[in-house]
Amino acid sequence: MIVTAAIIASMFAIVFGTATFWVNWWWFGSVGYRSVLVTQYIAQALTFLLGGLIGAAVFGGNVVLALRRSRRLRPGGSVQRGVDRLLLPILLVATAIVFVLAGLATAGRWSDLLLFVNSRSFGVTAPVLGRDVGFYVFALPVLHFVRNALVPLLAATTIAVAVVYVVRLGFNPRNYRRIPDLMRTHLLVLVGGLLLLVAASYWLANYDLAYSDRGVVFGAGYTDVNARRWANWILAVLTGATALLLALNGLVRRMRWVLIALAGWAVLAVLLGVIYPAAVQRTVVEPSELRREARYIAHNITMTRQAQDLDDVITRDLSGGGTPSAADLAAQATTVENIRLWDYRVVRETYAQNHTFVPYYAFDDVDVDRYVIDGQIRQVLVSARELNVEGLPETAQTWVNRHLRYTHGYGVVVSPVGGVSQQDLPAMLVSGFPPNGTGPLAIERPEIYFGERPGDWVVVGTDQEEFTGLSEVAQAGGYTGAGRGSIGTGNFLSRLILATHLQDRNVLLSGSITDDSRVLLRRGVVERAKAIAPFLTFDPDPYIVIDQGRLFWILDAYTATDRYPYATPTRGINYLRNSVKVVVDAYDGTTTFYRTATPDPIADAYGGIFDDLFAPISSVPPGIAAHFRYPEVLFDIQSEIFATHHVTDPRMFYDGDDRWEIPQEEAGGTVQRMEPYYVTLTLPEEQEAGFALIRPFTPGGRQERQNMTAWMAGRADGTGTTELIVYRFPRQAIVFGPQQVEARIDQEPAISAQITLLDQSGSEVIRGNLLVIPIGDAVVYVQPLYLRASEAPGAYPELKRVIAASNERVVMEPTLAGALAALTAPIADTTLPPPPPDGAAGGPPPEVPEISAAEADLAQQALDAYTRGQAALARGDWTAYGEEQANLEEILRQLAGEAGTPAGSAPPSSTPAP
């Protein structure tokens, strides 16, 4: 019985101790990336052994050497003999501890070590020391790790060796008057080794100057290059010489020279390492800082632009003048038709109130995307209807409901960004149960088992019917997907391991779970991607797309580092590339990492480590590749850096007179930095409309003016290749910035009065995003106004007004078409005509020229074309409006040709009238 109990206890201990390992093993195999897990396990095991063996060899080897060199010394008293007997077991245990600690430290850096082994050249040489950037990114972190690991190892070894010698020499002070040469040499060599590591620190410190923040810019400055660099070289040589003297002292016994060298090193370390650089900074640099630092400012500008992929930014100039005419808007019909009237924060409330239908669904996020519908690009808002088990009544929060019945979300809602229904709500393209989309928006598999919302684990294929859609809509046959990232429950052992890992005994005991059931784990898209590739950085906002009747999540993944030399860091990093697109099937969890066409040595190094991880970008289904977009995190960081580093002249950069900043906007009653936003537009100097992420800039520094100085657009193609374009306004041009437009809206009496009238009697006015819409050389500002009952439960915002503004006027109308028509309408001339000259009041009236029948017909045609154009403008049909404007122009030209000199009038004279 005791043996049986011991066996059972051992089995349970093994299960509890290895449950996580087996769950990961099965999960990675199910998702198709077991080779990635195996590579990590092998790398961690090998680096653990490598580090442990090196640590044990250094520590244990020196201890054994010390024991051998002191074996002839006989311990004196009984206490000393007792200590000597314990010495060997203690040292063996200490060696084992060093093995484990060194192994763990090395295994924790397995990624850095493999990156070093698979390192790639960046093709960029860093200034000053002339090394390729790859040395700083891949090799330098490993060198620092080796140095940092060896210092405590040698220190512990030196102490252990000294202890051995102390125990063997005994506790009588007379025994230390003449220490054996071998013992002294051994200790001095170890101390010399420590000094060599200090010398290595000075050598590495010169490369670390590339990350100096002591100058006017990030990276090595004048003092670093001309003072600290030479001080580090001198101290490295002096420290190495001192280490050599220590090693030789065991033979020549000249401690005086060693002490002199140590004292000289300590004095020079203070003089060269602290006092001398400070003196150079005060006396040489500060009196003429720009002249001294100009070269190093240029280094920072160049390397920062290369690190953040800003070298190839296309810059174009705009005049920024005036208000776009109606003809300009008609020529940009695609841009105007896709102006976003629904703020993503506002429309989510509307979706939640009108399209969840039941409490166990929720719209957590709203994304902006585009689809080609009826041959036209339509910018749309898309939101996934995800599972929200917390929305169930408390009495329904049972284990069966949470894990077996309510297992997935259902479908998406899609609405055009500018579509408004008769109820002042979004005009829906896809909604309902089942989803009613057509064409490219048709959905045949609406179930969402894997989503943006972090979901708890669920079990599919049980004898419980899964809840799908509404109560009257049942899922035929239950879940039939591949279940990528699931674990079967076909035997007792797997259920026991799952129950242990999930800390839920019901997995083992429930009779509803059958041999055909599968447990779906890591159902959050970001969580799943991080589990597979923890070395990548992931965008926090995945977005859902429809392709071939199925739903897919697209997640942008980045490689990042803070080790790019001389490049200014932002948010803790100074290099970022969107090198990977992750696509996850919302139904069966298939997860694919596509390597984009973006050049990136870091991603290439990871590809060398995990050769089965990345799929080529050419294998992306075209329907999914069409929805690749410029990543928001990348654009946010790049635009922030470009606001300062668009200036490439060191003097102008130092003066800061052309520095930009990201403007502020009011959102939800608070002032915040303006977010970039997606628009569908035809960029100036281009012919075709595209999908871009844009953001305006205003003057930076201490300038009080908030005029718009430029705006940036980012776009991506189906290979993930990104492109940035910046449009600049002349510095003397007056183009209002977002805050100035907000102020003009507040100061417009008619608009302010209407907003005040609406914002009362239990109603709340919500101001949406102020959008800057480029139209040719000029810009149009559009801001929607929503109205919501402030106290009524379940109230949701409705679109009530649209504000449009230009450099010349601000208008507000119930619709976008009306606002743009009012914005572009001719300004009435209110000046009175001059009075007639004296004595002309009683004269005959001026002669009216006769109009021919042809002219009358053309005039009627012109009026008809104008009327049809205004009707098209009122309904927002900018294509028809443009056609009628062209017709009107042609008719007016014909009318001008038909008009002749009125009958009876004198021919024009070459002599000007008095």
Side-chain angles (χ1 to χ4, degrees):
M1 291 177 60
I2 293 175
V3 172
T4 302
I7 293 174
I8 294 174
S10 300
M11 291 179 60
F12 273 98
I14 292 173
V15 168
F16 276 92
T18 63
T20 300
F21 168 82
W22 288 113
V23 167
N24 280 334
W25 184 262
W26 294 331
W27 186 85
F28 273 86
S30 174
V31 83
Y33 290 104
R34 182 171 288 165
S35 62
V36 175
L37 182 67
V38 170
T39 299
Q40 294 183 44
Y41 281 161
I42 292 176
Q44 291 170 352
L46 291 179
T47 52
F48 177 84
L49 288 175
L50 176 64
L53 289 175
I54 292 175
V58 172
F59 184 87
N62 280 279
V63 166
V64 170
L65 182 62
L67 289 172
R68 287 188 175 184
R69 289 186 171 183
S70 60
R71 62 187 174 185
R72 294 183 179 180
L73 299 174
R74 297 180 179 273
S78 59
V79 174
Q80 186 178 351
R81 286 195 298 271
V83 173
D84 188 68
R85 292 191 193 99
L86 295 175
L87 189 60
L88 183 59
I90 292 174
L91 292 176
L92 288 175
V93 172
T95 302
I97 293 174
V98 169
F99 174 85
V100 173
L101 293 178
L104 290 175
T106 309
R109 303 297 294 267
W110 68 269
S111 179
D112 288 340
L113 293 171
L114 288 189
L115 281 175
F116 172 68
V117 173
N118 293 271
S119 61
R120 304 291 196 271
S121 170
F122 277 71
V124 177
T125 301
V128 183
L129 294 180
R131 290 273 193 166
D132 184 87
V133 170
F135 169 81
Y136 291 86
V137 173
F138 298 119
L140 194 56
V142 174
L143 293 175
H144 274 293
F145 165 70
V146 172
R147 180 264 175 198
N148 294 336
L150 287 177
V151 167
L153 177 61
L154 277 184
T157 302
T158 304
I159 293 172
V161 169
V163 168
V164 170
Y165 289 143
V166 167
V167 171
R168 286 293 174 85
L169 286 171
F171 306 111
N172 190 341
R174 290 180 297 178
N175 295 339
Y176 294 91
R177 293 176 182 175
R178 187 174 180 84
I179 300 175
D181 291 341
L182 292 178
M183 292 184 183
R184 180 171 53 249
T185 301
H186 191 184
L187 287 171
L188 291 177
V189 167
L190 289 176
V191 175
L194 286 170
L195 283 179
L196 284 178
L197 291 177
V198 175
S201 299
Y202 286 122
W203 177 70
L204 292 175
N206 274 340
Y207 291 102
D208 290 336
L209 292 177
Y211 312 106
S212 171
D213 58 359
R214 292 180 287 261
V216 294
V217 293
F218 187 82
Y222 181 90
T223 302
D224 294 318
V225 173
N226 295 281
R228 289 189 176 90
R229 182 171 61 128
W230 294 109
N232 288 335
W233 286 128
I234 294 172
L235 290 172
V237 172
L238 181 60
T239 308
T242 305
L244 182 60
L245 282 175
L246 277 174
L248 293 176
N249 185 260
L251 300 176
V252 299
R253 299 183 184 180
R254 293 291 185 269
M255 282 299 295
R256 183 177 61 181
W257 295 108
V258 173
L259 294 176
I260 292 174
L262 288 174
W265 169 72
V267 172
L268 287 177
V270 175
L271 289 176
L272 297 178
V274 179
I275 298 176
Y276 175 59
V280 170
Q281 181 69 26
R282 289 284 184 89
T283 61
V284 178
V285 177
E286 291 183 1
S288 54
E289 190 172 54
L290 176 59
R291 185 167 65 89
R292 300 295 184 185
E293 299 284 7
R295 176 185 177 188
Y296 307 103
I297 293 173
H299 291 163
N300 172 266
I301 295 172
T302 300
M303 299 300 284
T304 300
R305 289 171 65 95
Q306 290 174 349
Q308 299 295 354
D309 201 17
L310 297 173
D311 257 357
D312 298 324
V313 175
I314 300 171
T315 302
R316 297 170 181 168
D317 294 325
L318 299 176
S319 65
T323 299
S325 64
D328 294 331
L329 295 178
Q332 300 279 345
T334 302
T335 301
V336 174
E337 290 170 357
N338 287 288
I339 292 177
R340 177 163 59 87
L341 297 181
W342 291 101
D343 190 309
Y344 70 92
R345 292 170 289 235
V346 170
V347 79
R348 191 176 70 85
E349 298 181 42
T350 304
Y351 289 164
Q353 292 295 328
N354 295 302
H355 299 286
T356 52
F357 302 113
V358 286
Y360 49 83
Y361 289 135
F363 295 103
D364 277 352
D365 188 27
V366 180
D367 295 303
V368 181
D369 205 348
R370 74 286 192 195
Y371 289 83
V372 178
I373 301 174
D374 297 330
Q376 301 291 327
I377 298 179
R378 296 290 299 276
Q379 188 168 319
V380 296
L381 298 169
V382 185
S383 185
R385 188 185 289 109
E386 297 199 59
L387 181 68
N388 177 28
V389 182
E390 305 302 327
L392 289 171
E394 187 174 351
T395 55
Q397 297 278 346
T398 64
W399 185 87
V400 171
N401 279 346
R402 293 182 66 90
H403 296 293
L404 306 187
R405 299 195 67 204
Y406 293 90
T407 57
H408 56 276
Y410 191 86
V412 299
V413 293
V414 183
S415 62
V417 293
V420 185
S421 70
Q422 293 182 350
Q423 294 79 28
D424 297 329
L425 301 176
M428 304 306 296
L429 296 174
V430 179
S431 62
F433 291 83
N436 56 359
T438 60
L441 300 177
I443 302 174
E444 300 173 1
R445 179 59 75 184
E447 297 86 3
I448 302 176
Y449 284 87
F450 303 89
E452 182 175 4
R453 185 186 184 93
D456 202 357
W457 58 272
V458 297
V459 187
V460 296
T462 67
D463 62 5
Q464 295 285 330
E465 182 179 350
E466 294 181 48
F467 227 86
T468 297
L470 302 177
S471 57
E472 64 268 17
V473 181
Q475 180 180 4
Y479 182 76
T480 59
R484 300 291 184 185
S486 63
I487 299 174
T489 59
N491 57 69
F492 174 80
L493 182 60
S494 63
R495 292 179 66 171
L496 175 62
I497 290 175
L498 279 167
T500 303
H501 176 74
L502 299 173
Q503 300 181 2
D504 194 325
R505 64 178 180 272
N506 289 323
V507 176
L508 181 64
L509 303 177
S510 174
S512 297
I513 299 177
T514 68
D515 291 346
D516 296 325
S517 301
R518 301 192 67 82
V519 179
L520 303 183
L521 300 174
R522 294 170 178 147
R523 298 197 299 136
V525 175
V526 177
E527 173 194 15
R528 161 173 294 246
K530 283 183 177 180
I532 298 171
F535 40 83
L536 297 177
T537 301
F538 295 94
D539 197 296
D541 184 25
Y543 56 101
I544 196 165
V545 302
I546 305 168
D547 182 50
Q548 302 296 319
R550 297 177 72 93
L551 299 175
F552 297 90
W553 293 97
I554 299 178
L555 175 63
D556 288 298
Y558 311 93
T559 58
T561 183
D562 62 350
R563 303 301 300 171
Y564 202 98
Y566 298 89
T568 300
T570 301
R571 305 178 196 179
I573 59 174
N574 61 5
Y575 175 92
L576 188 69
R577 290 292 186 278
N578 177 217
S579 301
V580 180
K581 300 282 188 180
V582 185
V583 178
V584 181
D585 190 310
Y587 181 69
D588 66 17
T590 299
T591 305
T592 309
F593 291 75
Y594 293 102
R595 174 69 172 89
T596 68
T598 301
D600 181 13
I602 297 179
D604 293 341
Y606 280 123
I609 298 171
F610 307 101
D611 51 5
D612 294 332
L613 176 60
F614 298 137
I617 196 68
S618 58
S619 61
V620 182
I624 294 178
H627 292 277
F628 287 167
R629 65 187 191 183
Y630 207 103
E632 290 183 78
V633 170
L634 177 64
F635 186 86
D636 197 31
I637 291 178
Q638 285 180 316
S639 59
E640 184 176 329
I641 288 291
F642 195 78
T644 55
H645 284 74
H646 70 277
V647 180
T648 57
D649 179 78
R651 174 175 289 277
M652 294 182 63
F653 187 94
Y654 179 83
D655 293 338
D657 61 342
D658 193 25
R659 189 164 295 181
W660 301 342
E661 67 180 19
I662 297 169
Q664 302 290 311
E665 68 172 347
E666 183 178 344
T670 61
V671 177
Q672 62 184 28
R673 194 170 75 163
M674 191 171 191
E675 297 178 351
Y677 48 90
Y678 291 100
V679 294
T680 299
L681 80 166
T682 303
L683 293 174
E685 301 183 21
E686 298 191 8
Q687 302 299 321
E688 296 184 1
F691 190 68
L693 186 62
I694 72 171
R695 167 180 268 170
F697 294 106
T698 56
R702 298 181 178 179
Q703 302 185 47
E704 296 182 359
R705 63 190 187 96
Q706 293 296 318
N707 300 93
M708 194 189 310
T709 57
W711 56 274
M712 174 183 278
R715 57 188 178 185
D717 61 17
T719 67
T721 302
T722 57
E723 182 182 47
L724 288 173
I725 306 174
V726 172
Y727 292 89
R728 300 184 54 146
F729 299 114
R731 298 185 69 175
Q732 69 274 13
I734 300 177
V735 180
F736 291 120
Q739 285 184 295
Q740 291 174 320
V741 174
E742 293 270 12
R744 292 176 62 206
I745 292 173
D746 294 336
Q747 295 167 7
E748 187 69 25
I751 296 177
S752 179
Q754 290 190 57
I755 293 176
T756 302
L757 184 63
L758 292 171
D759 197 14
Q760 59 185 0
S761 302
S763 297
E764 176 189 5
V765 172
I766 303 173
R767 295 169 71 157
N769 281 118
L770 177 68
L771 303 181
V772 180
I773 308 298
I775 302 291
D777 268 12
V779 291
V780 170
Y781 311 86
V782 176
Q783 184 176 52
L785 290 185
Y786 313 97
L787 192 63
R788 177 177 57 191
S790 57
E791 299 178 359
Y796 48 85
E798 299 176 359
L799 181 66
K800 291 300 182 182
R801 295 289 188 273
V802 177
I803 299 173
S806 66
N807 265 2
E808 298 174 355
R809 65 171 81 173
V810 179
V811 298
M812 184 170 72
E813 297 291 337
T815 65
L816 174 64
L820 293 179
L823 189 69
T824 58
I827 301 176
D829 186 2
T830 58
T831 60
L832 297 175
D838 295 341
E847 183 177 350
V848 179
E850 296 180 2
I851 300 177
S852 66
E855 290 174 337
D857 182 60
L858 289 173
Q860 184 60 46
Q861 293 181 35
L863 180 60
D864 293 341
Y866 173 78
T867 303
R868 291 192 299 270
Q870 292 301 305
L873 182 63
R875 63 176 182 270
D877 189 348
W878 293 93
T879 302
Y881 177 76
E883 294 174 354
E884 294 301 335
Q885 286 291 108
N887 292 337
L888 180 59
E889 181 182 3
E890 179 61 27
I891 294 170
L892 292 176
R893 291 183 182 279
Q894 295 180 27
L895 187 59
E898 287 288 341
T901 304
S905 63
S909 172
S910 59
T911 304

